[in-house]
């Protein structure tokens, strides 16, 4: 049994690609998340990773975000704020706290 | 019929159990009960519940009470199974008379019954068994309300009931410890206790090894007097000898064949089996006996039963051994004390007792001898025999007195430098005639020594004379030799003989007091056996040694070695050299020796004088040439003449007078009145001849001074004056002179007047002399005080007691023997009061502490009365003093023992007893320092206890450590003193090894002779108390185990902590309890209660209420209903009235607590912010006060991270303090400890709230903190993480954590779990990971434990793991990782913020 996670890709009206995740991200499903991010990162410009509906994120998911830090734009809920801050991710990429 | 009714039995009665199967397969349709389809729905439901329940249950069908039961019921049914659908009356024939009517009543009335621990004798395993049951019969109604059957939930309580009873029996037995003073008493107590326990021990017999024969003797039996006799032709009696020999227990299974019927105890049926057990002796010793314990026929002799009987035997052995040890210790202590008393009494009494009659024999005898000088030879001969033997007896008494003085430290030694060679030769010469008359050669070889030796002349005389007398006694031919020399810097005296010698085996006892060598040829059979012992003591006082070498048949050599100089002698005993002369002491020795020899002729006997008349020469003196003129028949030279003191300032006159008087008298000449007065006061003067005109003190003043002093008032004074005339002579006579001579005078005139005055004085002083002799011989000290309080006369006994002699008279107040106010103010004050009494009252008595001249403190009792001096009319005080130090000490000893006993009886543990003893010892002796050192059996550093608590051995000064170490070298209870540091100590047995007590005295109060004995006695007492306290400690353990066994539950729901503590003094279990019951719906029943009273009876009531309350909680809808039902139950239980109970039901998820209190103190709720509130709702009366009355209920939600305390009043109730103060204190303590883990808080509460000296009531309490800890165990698989997280998230919500912090904790825990899973996968796939989380008021603690090894973060190879650790550290305040062989544990803590 793996942790509940839904991933959807789409585009904003301005054409920016968006990856929307909902659920929890831990070591059991981090591979899935990594694949989704890697697949969605555009050749140029940034990928918006929308974590608004993510209730849990730990280092297994953070590693993916770190890997693509320069190519993504994060949208995260307040709940994930501390984790993103203490991990240092907020210093490498743009994070919008929803 | 509905579809439901046609269901198959498989669906109707599901389950895999045997009974479910049997019920399904049973041909119901063919039975009187009928097809299940025909039953009312309630019966089917009941049977379904029954079959699926794991509680033993029965369903009964009306009307003929056939029944069905479940798998859990099978063990209860035993061999009666299978009995499905059979009538109860048939199956339960043996108990139907009890349960039948109950069931019938349920069917008739529709009301349930409740039976608790009901005794049902039952034959289910092939014998009549004692079984106990708690059960309730409830009616089963159909839809119309008709009772169609009954439902029984049963609980067999046999194990518990019997277990509690056995524990109670053991406790009863254990409670007898320490009370028995004799083995017989101990056995009696055991028998009585076992008689009370006849339900478990129907017959018991204690057989003890007889101390005389070693065989076994029946010491006690239960029931009293029972002593079964083996049947003739049977297998025999008990295997007692075998058990004693092998030390192993034996079981006897054929009791009926051996003895017929044994007593059956309360079960009634004769026992079938018994065990014979050895009674082990003190650790390691052989068994002291064996005990026979019959097992009740009502219970199988299983492992538990055997263990119980084993414990009975052990308790019995402990009691017997305790009594033996008590007897031994008591005996030892008594012996020591008795020996000491006997010795002191003997020496101090006997010598004085002999002295008085001797004085009264010898005095008149002297007179008789003088008067008989012209009589018949034969009569004189007889009188001489009496005289000689009187002398001998005097010598013996003097020797004994010497001993008692040495013993008492009162030997008045006076060490002066002596030319040992001259003095010894002189002493030896006294014996020459006797030795030569015996036909022996006498060689005296005393060359001069290089320096003088410091000696007490009198003592040395005794040494030499005793040795010579001894040599003469045992030598029949050959020679006696006295040789003096110097060896190794010491003076050495050898007295050797060629006598009978001493057998080698007698040598070690040669110097032993009162020991006489048997069967040896000697000149006389007389002898007391103390001569050599005295010699040894005397030589010892001189710092010397004496040894003997002997060859049997060849002779003996005694060698005395004395050091030169005086460094080894007490400085205050040193004196200037005095006149050298052999004293009267020699006389009796020679007299005695001569009597052993054939008598050649009476003429050769040396002159004799009365040895004790020394100070009173007026009886029996006179000049040889003046004999005819005096008309008295006295012989002897000038030396034995009267002593005349001449006082004149003119040297020519002095010489002339001396020349005139010297041929007849011993003359002392002095130049003035003062010198004359001093000389006269020494008591050596029989007459004073004094000039009137002298410088300083003239003759008239001298007369007045002499007359004023009782010691000199009787001395005749002859005044010489150049002043002629009546007036001058009248003046002189008026002043008190006896005669008056005007210069110039003729020699004849002077001699005549001297003689006349001496004679007159002799007549006149005859009475006075007698008085003096009597006073001197008084056993008690005697004193006379003048009207100013000055002591003006004393006797020898007075000097013996106080050390102050007549030379210091008069002793004006304050007397030198008064204790100084600076040293001992209390004693000083007492002396002052005594003096006021002496001077104020006409007669009276008092007892005061005084100081002996040598500094040691003694107690004297004085009796006095007032006498008028017949001559002067002065009011004199005459009194006697007695040394009551020994009596005083005996009384003090008694008081000390009593005080110590009282202190020790209050001690409830071994360390307590040691501390109490130190207190008592320190107080008794006003010590500067007192210590107890315990040497444990296993070695290691000894434990040191001071009066204020523990000390460390290595912190003690080196010298003190050495002194205490040395104590271990002495046998137990033999006190030993040390010089540096000055102190006294003793060692005694301690339950864990040895205990040394060490006391250092206040320098102002050094230890006396009596103190070691007293310390020994007290130590013996302490030993007893330690043994008792040790037993109390053990009993305490037993009591606690017992209570905890009765108290449950074994496993607490999480989030709870409980404590039970019995009352400290007296140690007793009580009626307090706590309980938690996990209800089927996940809620938890909480009970804290307190039965009235103490001891086992209260514990029993408690046990019943507890069980009932448990059962009721399972049935009832809430706390109020539970307590209402418990009210009805309690009304039926004697002793349950007024029990207070707090009963609550807690939902551990929400913290909702519904509760009701039956008169119980309010619960305390401590909020996370430190605020406390009392749970005062739901209150009503204690149990059974108003049965049937509905009870209120209250509700409170326990907030997150708050702590709930429920307790019994023992925790808060104190004498002289309102209960509310105690509750407030407890609330403050819980509030203060809200941040501590729950177990730690429980420990803290117990300590903080304990009154000084321990709880005097028993205490039970229960703590709950909401929410309880989270404990999750899961396999190390990543797929489990979400589930674990879910549980943690929910728990964190219950902790009411701020969401952001909760998320942080969640991530930290997730990282730790992820790590654990990685280790698990790597090393041990499928291993379990354990997550626990606990909350306090303001903190959280999480641990994640796995069985793998922590991976060292290596950012290069696996960056995200390293990041995981960084996250944990960033999100939690404290993270520690502990990697061991067993796995890795991550421990994380954080404080909770708002």
């Amino acid at each position: 049994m793996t942790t509940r996670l839904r991933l959807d890709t789409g585009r904003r009206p301005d054409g920016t690609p968006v990856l929307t995740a909902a659920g929890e991200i831990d070591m059991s499903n981090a591979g899935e998340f990594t694949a989704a991010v890697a697949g969605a990162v555009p050749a140029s410009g940034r990928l918006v990773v929308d974590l608004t509906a993510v209730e849990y994120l730990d280092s297994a998911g953070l590693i993916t975000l770190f890997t693509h830090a320069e190519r993504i734009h994060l949208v995260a809920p307040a709940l994930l704020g501390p984790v993103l801050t203490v991990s240092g991710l907020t210093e490498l990429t743009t994070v919008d706290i929803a | 019929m509905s579809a439901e009714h046609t269901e198959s039995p498989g669906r109707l009665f599901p389950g895999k159990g045997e009974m479910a199967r049997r019920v399904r397969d049973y041909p119901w349709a063919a039975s009187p009960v009928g097809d299940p389809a025909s039953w009312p729905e309630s019966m089917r439901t009941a049977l379904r519940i029954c079959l699926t329940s794991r509680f033993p249950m029965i369903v009964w069908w009306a009307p003929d009470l056939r029944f069905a039961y479940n798998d859990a019921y099978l063990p209860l049914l035993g061999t009666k199974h299978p009995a499905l659908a059979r009538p109860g009356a048939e199956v339960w024939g043996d108990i139907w008379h009890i349960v039948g009517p109950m069931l019938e009543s349920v069917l008739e009335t529709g009301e349930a019954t409740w039976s608790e621990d009901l005794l049902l004798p039952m034959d289910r395993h092939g014998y009549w068994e004692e079984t106990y049951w708690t059960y309730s019969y409830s009616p089963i109604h159909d839809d119309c309300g008709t009772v169609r059957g009954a439902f029984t939930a049963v609980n067999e309580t046999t194990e518990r009931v019997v277990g509690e009873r056995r524990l109670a029996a053991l406790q009863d037995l254990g409670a007898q410890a320490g009370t028995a003073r004799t083995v017989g008493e101990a056995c009696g107590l055991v028998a009585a206790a076992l008689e009370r326990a006849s339900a478990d021990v129907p017959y018991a017999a204690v057989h003890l090894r007889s101390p005389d024969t070693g065989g076994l003797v029946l010491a006690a039996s239960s029931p009293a007097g029972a002593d079964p006799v083996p049947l003739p032709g049977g297998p025999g009696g008990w295997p007692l000898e075998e058990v004693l020999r092998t030390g192993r227990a034996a079981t006897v299974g054929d009791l009926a064949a051996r003895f017929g019927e044994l007593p059956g105890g309360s079960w009634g049926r004769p026992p079938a089996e018994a065990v014979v057990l050895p009674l082990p002796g003190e650790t390691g010793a052989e068994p002291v006996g064996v005990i026979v314990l019959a097992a009740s026929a009502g219970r199988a002799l299983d492992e538990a039963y055997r263990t119980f009987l084993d414990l009975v035997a052990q308790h019995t052995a402990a009691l017997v051994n305790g009594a033996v040890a008590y007897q031994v210790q008591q005996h030892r202590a008594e012996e020591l004390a008795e020996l000491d008393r006997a010795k002191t009494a003997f020496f101090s009494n006997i010598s004085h007792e002999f002295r008085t009659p001797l004085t009264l024999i010898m005095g008149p005898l002297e007179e008789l001898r003088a008067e008989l000088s012209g009589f018949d030879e034969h009569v004189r001969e007889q009188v001489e025999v009496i005289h000689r033997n009187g002398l001998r007896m005097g010598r013996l008494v003097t020797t004994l007195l010497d001993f008692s003085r040495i013993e008492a430290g009162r030997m008045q030694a006076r060490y002066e430098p002596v030319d040992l060679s001259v003095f010894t030769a002189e002493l030896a010469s006294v014996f020459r005639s006797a030795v030569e008359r015996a036909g022996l050669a006498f060689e005296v070889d005393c060359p001069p020594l290089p320096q003088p030796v410091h000696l007490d002349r009198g003592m040395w005389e005794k040494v030499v004379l005793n040795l010579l007398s001894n040599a003469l006694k045992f030598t029949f031919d050959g020679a006696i030799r006295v040789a003096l020399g110097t060896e190794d810097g010491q003076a050495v005296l050898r007295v050797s003989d060629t006598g009978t010698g001493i057998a080698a085996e007698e040598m070690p006892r040669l110097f032993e007091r009162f020991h006489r060598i048997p069967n040896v040829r000697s000149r006389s059979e007389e002898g007391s056996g103390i001569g050599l012992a005295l010699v040894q003591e005397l030589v010892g006082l001189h710092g010397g040694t004496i040894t003997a070498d002997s060859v049997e048949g060849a002779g003996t050599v005694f060698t005395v070695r004395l050091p030169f100089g005086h460094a080894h002698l007490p400085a205050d005993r040193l004196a200037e050299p005095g006149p050298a002369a052999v004293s009267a002491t020699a006389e009796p020795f020679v007299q005695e020796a001569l009597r052993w020899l054939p008598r050649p002729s009476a003429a050769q006997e040396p002159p004799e004088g009365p040895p004790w008349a020394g100070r009173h020469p007026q009886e029996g003196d006179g000049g040889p040439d003046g004999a005819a003129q005096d008309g008295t028949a006295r012989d002897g030279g000038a030396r034995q003449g009267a002593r005349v003191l001449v006082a004149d300032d003119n040297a020519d006159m002095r010489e002339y007078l001396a020349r005139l008087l010297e041929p007849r008298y011993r003359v002392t000449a002095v130049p003035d009145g003062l010198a004359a007065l001093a000389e006269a006061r020494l008591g050596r003067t029989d007459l004073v001849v004094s000039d009137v005109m002298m410088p300083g003190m003239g003759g008239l003043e001298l007369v007045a001074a002499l007359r004023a002093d009782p010691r000199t008032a009787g001395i005749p004074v002859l005044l010489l004056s150049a002043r002629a005339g009546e007036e001058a002579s009248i003046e002189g006579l008026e002043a008190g002179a006896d005669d008056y001579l005007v210069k110039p005078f003729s020699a004849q005139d002077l001699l005549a007047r001297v003689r006349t005055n001496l004679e007159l004085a002799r007549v006149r002083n005859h009475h006075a002399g007698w008085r003096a002799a009597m006073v001197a011989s008084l056993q008690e000290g005697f004193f006379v005080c003048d009207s100013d309080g000055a002591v003006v006369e004393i006797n020898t006994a007075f000097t013996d007691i106080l050390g102050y002699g007549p030379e210091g008279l008069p002793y004006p107040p304050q007397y030198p023997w008064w204790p100084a106010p600076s040293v001992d103010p209390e004693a000083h004050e007492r002396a002052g009061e005594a003096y006021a009494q002496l001077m104020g009252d006409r007669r009276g008595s008092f007892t005061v502490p005084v100081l002996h001249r040598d500094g040691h403190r003694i107690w004297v009792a004085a009796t006095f009365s007032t006498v008028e001096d017949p001559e002067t009319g002065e009011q004199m005080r005459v009194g006697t003093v007695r040394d009551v130090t020994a009596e005083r000490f005996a009384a003090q000893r008694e008081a000390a023992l009593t005080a110590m006993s009282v202190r020790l009886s209050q001690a409830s543990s071994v360390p307590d007893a040691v501390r109490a003893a130190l207190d008592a010892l320190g107080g008794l002796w006003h010590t500067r320092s007192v210590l107890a050192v315990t040497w444990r059996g296993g070695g290691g550093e000894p434990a040191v206890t001071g009066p204020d608590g523990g000390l460390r051995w290595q912190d003690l000064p080196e010298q003190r450590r050495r002194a205490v170490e040395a104590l271990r070298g002495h046998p137990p209870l033999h006190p030993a003193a040390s010089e540096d540091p000055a102190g006294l100590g003793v060692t005694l047995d301690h339950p864990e090894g040895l205990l040394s007590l060490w006391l250092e005295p206040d320098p102002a109060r050094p230890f006396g002779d009596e103190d070691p004995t007293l310390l020994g006695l007290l130590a013996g007492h302490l030993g007893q108390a330690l043994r008792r306290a040790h037993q109390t400690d053990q009993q305490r353990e037993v009591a606690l185990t017992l209570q905890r066994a009765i108290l449950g539950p074994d496993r607490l729901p999480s989030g709870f902590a409980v404590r039970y503590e019995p009352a400290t003094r007296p140690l007793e279990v009580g009626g307090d309890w706590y309980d938690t019951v996990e209800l089927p719906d996940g809620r938890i029943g909480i009970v804290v209660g307190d039965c009235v009273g103490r001891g086992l009876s209260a514990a029993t009531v408690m046990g019943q209420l507890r069980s009932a309350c448990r059962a009721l909680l399972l049935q009832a809808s809430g706390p109020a209903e539970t307590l209402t039902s418990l009210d009805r139950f309690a009304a039926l239980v004697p002793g349950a009235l007024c029990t207070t109970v707090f009963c609550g039901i807690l939902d551990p998820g929400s913290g909702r607590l519904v509760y009701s209190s039956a008169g119980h103190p309010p619960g305390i709720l401590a909020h996370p912010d430190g605020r406390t509130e009392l749970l005062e709702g739901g209150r009503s009366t204690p149990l059974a006060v108003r049965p049937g009355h509905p009870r209120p209920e209250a509700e409170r939600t326990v907030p997150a991270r708050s702590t709930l305390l429920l307790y019994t009043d023992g925790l808060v109730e104190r004498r002289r303090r309102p209960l509310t103060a105690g509750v407030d204190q407890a609330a403050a303590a819980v509030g203060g400890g809200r941040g501590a883990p729950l177990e730690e808080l429980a420990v803290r509460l117990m300590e903080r709230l304990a009154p000084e000296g321990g709880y005097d009531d028993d205490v039970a309490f229960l703590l709950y903190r909401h929410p309880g800890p989270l404990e999750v165990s899961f396999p190390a698989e990543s797929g489990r993480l979400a589930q674990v997280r879910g549980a943690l998230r929910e728990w964190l919500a219950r902790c009411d954590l701020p969401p952001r912090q909760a998320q942080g904790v969640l991530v930290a825990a997730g990282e730790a779990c992820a790590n654990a899973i990685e280790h698990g996968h790597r090393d041990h796939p499928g291993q379990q990971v354990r997550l626990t989380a606990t909350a306090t008021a303001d903190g959280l603690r999480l641990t994640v434990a796995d069985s793998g090894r922590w991976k060292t973060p290596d950012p290069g190879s696996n960056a995200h793991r390293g990041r995981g650790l960084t996250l944990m550290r960033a999100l939690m305040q404290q993270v520690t990782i502990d990697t061991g062989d067993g796995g890795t544990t991550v421990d994380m803590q954080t404080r909770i913020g708002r």
Side-chain angles (χ1 to χ4, degrees), chain B residues 778-988:
Chain B
L778 268 181
Q779 178 178 341
E780 299 195 332
F782 172 85
F783 67 88
V784 178
C785 285
D786 65 18
S787 53
D788 297 327
V791 173
V792 293
E793 186 182 355
I794 55 175
N795 68 349
T796 328
F798 186 96
T799 307
D800 281 350
I801 292 170
L802 286 166
Y804 290 91
E807 68 282 353
L809 286 173
Y811 293 104
Q814 304 175 7
Y815 311 124
W817 48 86
W818 279 15
S822 55
V823 177
D824 193 343
E826 190 195 328
H828 180 78
E829 194 177 317
R830 290 183 74 148
E833 284 164 11
Y835 175 72
Q837 189 191 348
L838 173 69
M839 299 313 293
D841 299 354
R842 287 200 66 79
R843 56 174 56 81
S845 59
F846 51 81
T847 303
V848 282
V850 294
L851 282 182
H852 187 272
R853 191 174 202 161
D854 67 13
H856 78 267
R857 177 215 267 258
I858 56 172
W859 284 82
V860 295
T863 308
F864 67 91
S865 56
T866 309
V867 177
E868 187 172 297
D869 186 317
E871 285 173 31
T872 63
E874 188 179 353
Q875 296 287 315
M876 309 293 274
R877 301 290 189 285
V878 181
T880 56
V881 292
R882 200 158 53 81
D883 182 349
V884 293
T885 314
E887 295 157 39
R888 185 86 196 174
F889 272 112
Q892 195 184 355
R893 185 158 60 198
E894 283 307 312
L897 279 175
T898 311
M900 181 95 148
S901 302
V902 170
R903 296 296 292 271
L904 289 176
S905 69
Q906 291 162 357
S908 60
S909 69
V910 171
D912 243 28
V914 172
R915 269 194 302 279
L918 289 183
D919 266 14
L921 293 175
L924 174 61
W925 272 295
H926 301 280
T927 50
R928 194 175 58 178
S929 165
V930 54
L931 289 180
V933 177
T934 314
W935 317 88
R936 297 219 157 73
E941 181 162 294
V944 186
T945 311
D948 307 316
L951 299 166
R952 287 201 313 174
W953 174 250
Q954 70 251 37
D955 295 345
L956 299 183
E958 163 77 25
Q959 278 179 324
R960 193 178 292 170
R961 285 211 302 265
R962 247 202 338 265
V964 178
E965 287 255 35
L967 293 175
R968 284 208 292 172
H970 296 269
L973 300 184
H974 281 71
S978 148
E979 295 285 338
D980 184 24
L984 183 62
V986 69
T987 293
L988 59 143

Side-chain angles (χ1 to χ4, degrees), chain B residues 48-231:
Chain B
R48 204 155 48 229
I49 292 172
C50 167
L51 291 174
T52 52
S53 173
R54 287 166 71 179
F55 258 93
M57 287 179 186
I58 305 184
V59 176
W60 307 83
W61 282 269
D64 46 358
L65 294 169
R66 288 172 185 274
F67 65 99
Y69 49 95
N70 61 3
D71 287 3
Y73 199 83
L74 288 176
L76 281 57
L77 207 54
T79 53
K80 294 182 194 298
H81 171 73
L84 187 60
R86 286 176 55 204
E90 217 172 84
V91 180
W92 294 112
D94 39 11
I95 54 166
W96 199 250
H97 60 288
I98 303 169
V99 301
M102 289 186 179
L103 278 164
E104 296 292 354
S105 95
V106 173
L107 296 187
E108 267 171 41
T109 64
E111 278 177 25
T113 65
W114 170 263
S115 306
E116 169 111 5
D117 295 340
L118 192 72
L119 170 63
L120 296 179
M122 199 178 284
D123 182 5
R124 56 174 176 177
H125 295 119
Y127 67 96
W128 279 95
E129 198 181 342
E130 179 189 9
T131 64
Y132 293 90
W133 305 84
T134 293
Y135 53 84
S136 163
Y137 293 122
S138 331
I140 304 176
H141 303 268
D142 61 15
D143 293 344
C144 316
T146 313
V147 179
R148 297 293 296 270
F151 182 83
T152 316
V154 184
N155 196 5
E156 174 164 10
T157 55
T158 311
E159 290 295 330
R160 182 178 57 76
V161 170
V162 172
E164 283 173 11
R165 190 176 66 205
R166 287 177 186 166
L167 277 169
L170 287 176
Q171 218 233 350
D172 183 18
L173 202 52
Q176 314 298 321
T179 51
R181 302 244 182 283
T182 67
V183 171
E185 235 174 277
C187 291
L189 289 172
V190 169
L194 291 181
E195 205 156 340
R196 290 191 287 276
S198 73
D200 291 303
V201 185
Y203 167 77
V206 182
H207 299 262
L208 293 183
R209 211 194 272 274
S210 152
D212 308 324
T213 64
L216 285 169
V217 179
L218 177 63
S221 62
S222 159
D227 187 11
V229 182
L231 294 177

Side-chain angles (χ1 to χ4, degrees), chain B residues 628-857:
Chain B
Q629 291 162 330
D630 287 352
T632 51
R634 308 251 159 100
D635 54 8
R639 268 183 168 181
Q640 278 78 37
R643 286 167 298 196
V644 176
L645 173 63
V646 172
D648 201 312
D649 56 333
N650 184 311
D652 290 339
M653 189 64 184
R654 253 190 344 259
E655 269 176 38
Y656 170 69
L657 287 170
R659 229 180 17 254
L660 275 179
L661 296 167
E662 251 164 3
R664 296 172 177 81
Y665 311 106
R666 284 180 284 175
V667 176
T668 309
V670 295
D672 61 57
L674 281 174
L677 186 61
E679 173 66 22
R681 281 183 174 159
L682 293 178
R684 300 197 288 232
T685 304
D686 299 320
L687 178 92
V688 176
V689 176
S690 172
D691 191 8
V692 173
M693 301 292 286
M694 283 184 294
M697 179 185 271
L700 293 178
E701 291 110 301
L702 174 61
V703 171
L706 288 173
R707 292 294 173 260
D709 186 335
R711 288 171 296 161
T712 54
I715 302 176
V717 180
L718 174 56
L719 286 179
L720 304 176
S721 174
R723 291 165 58 191
E726 282 290 301
E727 275 179 34
S729 85
I730 287 169
E731 190 187 357
L733 292 173
E734 267 180 358
D738 295 78
D739 208 344
Y740 197 87
L741 201 60
V742 179
K743 295 176 192 171
F745 47 82
S746 74
Q748 273 310 353
D749 199 5
L750 174 75
L751 286 172
R753 301 248 189 149
V754 166
R755 196 171 58 238
T756 312
N757 275 302
L758 276 173
E759 185 56 25
L760 280 170
R762 195 186 76 81
V763 174
R764 189 177 64 206
N765 288 350
H766 187 75
H767 256 83
W770 266 101
R771 172 181 171 276
M774 288 297 293
V775 166
S777 72
L778 268 181
Q779 178 178 341
E780 299 195 332
F782 172 85
F783 67 88
V784 178
C785 285
D786 65 18
S787 53
D788 297 327
V791 173
V792 293
E793 186 182 355
I794 55 175
N795 68 349
T796 328
F798 186 96
T799 307
D800 281 350
I801 292 170
L802 286 166
Y804 290 91
E807 68 282 353
L809 286 173
Y811 293 104
Q814 304 175 7
Y815 311 124
W817 48 86
W818 279 15
S822 55
V823 177
D824 193 343
E826 190 195 328
H828 180 78
E829 194 177 317
R830 290 183 74 148
E833 284 164 11
Y835 175 72
Q837 189 191 348
L838 173 69
M839 299 313 293
D841 299 354
R842 287 200 66 79
R843 56 174 56 81
S845 59
F846 51 81
T847 303
V848 282
V850 294
L851 282 182
H852 187 272
R853 191 174 202 161
D854 67 13
H856 78 267
R857 177 215 267 258

Side-chain angles (χ1 to χ4, degrees), chain B residues 1164-1173 1201-1205 1223-1236 1241 1244-1245 1248 1263 1265 1337-1338:
Chain B
I1164 295 168
L1165 186 60
H1167 291 260
D1169 59 4
R1171 207 159 38 83
T1172 57
E1173 70 172 87
R1201 291 178 279 116
S1202 62
T1203 308
L1204 175 67
L1205 169 69
V1223 174
D1224 290 348
Q1225 195 193 359
V1230 185
R1234 67 189 187 282
L1241 174 59
R1244 220 194 276 182
L1245 279 182
R1248 290 269 168 89
L1263 283 168
R1265 182 170 290 149
D1338 52 4

